[in-house]
Amino acid sequence: MPNNQPNPQGTRNQPQPIRIGVIGVGNMGQHHARVLSLLKDVELIGISDVNVERGLDTASKYRVRFFENYLDLLSIVDAVCIAVPTRLHHRVGMDCLQAGVHTLIEKPIAASIAEAESLVNVAADNNCILQVGHIERFNPAFQELGKVLKTEEILALEAHRMSPYSQRANDVSVVLDLMIHDIDLLLELAAAPVIQLTASGSRSADSGYLDYVTATLNFANGIVATLTASKVTHRKIRRLAAHCKNSLTEADFLNNEILIHRQTTANYSTDYGQVLYRQDGLIEKVYTSNIEPLHAELEHFVNCVRGGNQPSVGGEQALKALRLASIIEQMALDGKVWHHSQWSYQYLNPPVFTVPSES
């Protein structure tokens, strides 16, 4: 007679699936649901969205429950991904963390520094993982760029993040929507505090927020960085360049490509000094993986939840990026120059710069 009982010896090492819900299934949340439904050892439990029709449609697509009120989802999940408008990050995130639910919040972490600080504190108080969706950290091109630059002496960094106008994320400025990605990346690469910055920007006639901003940052270790972000450029650009002592390394995040330019000038001459041949430079191409950044990001989140490890882009890192973004935004609005001598630069004790209130 066959034994239909489960075999504990064969299953005891199988991990229990991490139960995850998605709150907000708009432009980004749709992709969270898609990737989570494919991850190993993950169970997508439910979907919540204020748009009932959209929420029901997404829940039906992945054969999970729909929750009109996200609070009803919290008691049956281990973790959530929050992809709601920025102004709601704090309220929804606080509810999830206070319920003891591990949380991934899309960037920026919150609409203000005070809100971000409270999220970081509540996550710590409740022993919850708090990861923030700075997805470019998981872009294969950036991963490889970091490896390349470990052996280089960086002199300057240059980032461009440009997009045509879109209706998405129109509740924040281009600094909090786009530039904050590169702020996070430059803080990681420079690995030093900012001691001076200048910024300027402009807005389209029908926008209440800055749509084009450029900023220059001076780091304590001598690295200079320039950032440009735009919501009004008629071509999508995602590039970061590192000007190094012995090379120029360019990362194209859209095409997942890294090029290293090296100067290898060599002259071949006759006895009379006549140049017969000249080689000016060498271009190396670095091959990267094709993994989807969101897949890598969510896999990292799940591993942190399972293992109890802190994420590579946790609340503290996101808070640093938000503080710097807030200063850049204020400088762009005021047209002033900021120097570190104005106050003791400590990421955990910043001056009071507030994100402009929504109209």
Side-chain angles (χ1 to χ4, degrees), residues 19-21 43 45-46 65 67 71-79 101:
R19 302 168 301 165
I20 300 184
E43 182 180 1
I45 292 290
R65 292 176 60 186
F67 296 82
L71 296 174
D72 297 330
L73 172 66
L74 302 184
S75 63
I76 59 172
V77 295
D78 303 305
V101 175

Side-chain angles (χ1 to χ4, degrees), residues 63 88 90 112 115 128 198 263 270-271 276 304 330 341 359:
R63 299 181 180 180
L88 301 177
H90 179 255
S112 72
E115 289 182 351
C128 288
T198 58
Q263 186 176 4
T270 66
D271 292 340
L276 301 177
C304 290
Q330 197 67 54
S341 58
S359 55

Side-chain angles (χ1 to χ4, degrees), residues 19-305:
R19 302 168 301 165
I20 300 184
V22 178
I23 302 174
V25 285
N27 181 65
M28 197 64 194
Q30 291 277 349
H31 293 294
H32 279 271
R34 171 181 58 81
V35 173
L36 289 170
S37 71
L38 300 174
L39 286 184
K40 182 182 178 182
D41 299 326
V42 168
E43 182 180 1
L44 180 60
I45 292 290
I47 300 293
S48 180
D49 198 284
V50 293
N51 186 320
V52 175
E53 182 180 355
R54 181 172 63 195
L56 285 170
D57 181 64
T58 305
S60 175
K61 182 177 181 179
Y62 298 107
R63 299 181 180 180
V64 297
R65 292 176 60 186
F66 169 70
F67 296 82
E68 190 168 352
N69 188 335
Y70 67 87
L71 296 174
D72 297 330
L73 172 66
L74 302 184
S75 63
I76 59 172
V77 295
D78 303 305
V80 293
C81 293
I82 299 174
V84 299
T86 302
R87 67 181 184 278
L88 301 177
H89 282 191
H90 179 255
R91 190 183 82 190
V92 178
M94 290 290 283
D95 287 336
C96 296
L97 294 168
Q98 288 173 340
V101 175
H102 302 294
T103 301
L104 186 153
I105 301 179
E106 268 304 321
K107 62 80 203 162
I109 181 174
S112 72
I113 294 172
E115 289 182 351
E117 288 176 333
S118 65
L119 286 169
V120 170
N121 292 334
V122 169
D125 292 342
N126 289 276
N127 198 29
C128 288
I129 299 296
L130 173 59
Q131 182 171 326
V132 182
H134 285 277
I135 194 170
E136 292 289 33
R137 286 277 199 106
F138 299 90
N139 191 307
F142 181 73
Q143 296 280 321
E144 293 301 322
L145 177 65
K147 296 175 185 177
V148 170
L149 296 182
K150 283 183 178 179
T151 60
E152 297 284 350
E153 181 182 344
I154 302 174
L155 304 176
L157 296 164
E158 184 180 358
H160 290 85
R161 190 166 295 263
M162 332 283 275
S163 290
Y165 185 78
S166 170
Q167 291 297 324
R168 59 161 294 280
N170 56 10
D171 62 334
V172 293
S173 75
V174 70
V175 178
L176 293 185
D177 180 26
L178 297 180
M179 184 179 282
I180 196 165
H181 279 297
D182 293 317
I183 291 172
D184 176 63
L185 299 184
L186 295 188
L187 286 174
E188 179 73 6
L189 292 175
V194 177
I195 59 173
Q196 180 179 322
L197 70 83
T198 58
S200 58
S202 63
R203 68 191 85 192
S204 61
D206 57 350
S207 172
Y209 297 93
L210 291 165
D211 295 314
Y212 185 101
V213 172
T214 183
T216 301
L217 285 61
N218 293 78
F219 290 89
N221 57 6
I223 294 176
V224 177
T226 58
L227 305 91
T228 303
S230 171
K231 284 186 175 183
V232 291
T233 297
H234 297 278
R235 184 164 72 92
K236 194 172 183 180
I237 301 170
R238 303 284 188 272
R239 290 178 180 168
L240 196 158
H243 301 260
C244 304
K245 187 174 181 179
N246 298 313
S247 68
L248 165 63
T249 302
E250 298 178 297
D252 186 331
F253 297 137
L254 288 181
N255 297 314
N256 196 21
E257 182 179 78
I258 294 178
L259 297 178
I260 304 174
H261 304 260
R262 300 188 190 278
Q263 186 176 4
T264 57
T265 301
N267 292 333
Y268 297 85
S269 58
T270 66
D271 292 340
Y272 301 103
Q274 181 182 6
V275 175
L276 301 177
Y277 175 79
R278 181 182 180 91
Q279 180 180 349
D280 288 321
L282 172 70
I283 300 177
E284 304 170 24
K285 184 173 182 179
V286 178
Y287 289 93
T288 62
S289 74
N290 291 318
I291 187 170
E292 180 184 3
L294 183 60
H295 186 283
E297 179 183 63
L298 292 176
E299 195 169 54
H300 178 70
F301 176 56
V302 169
N303 289 337
C304 290
V305 170

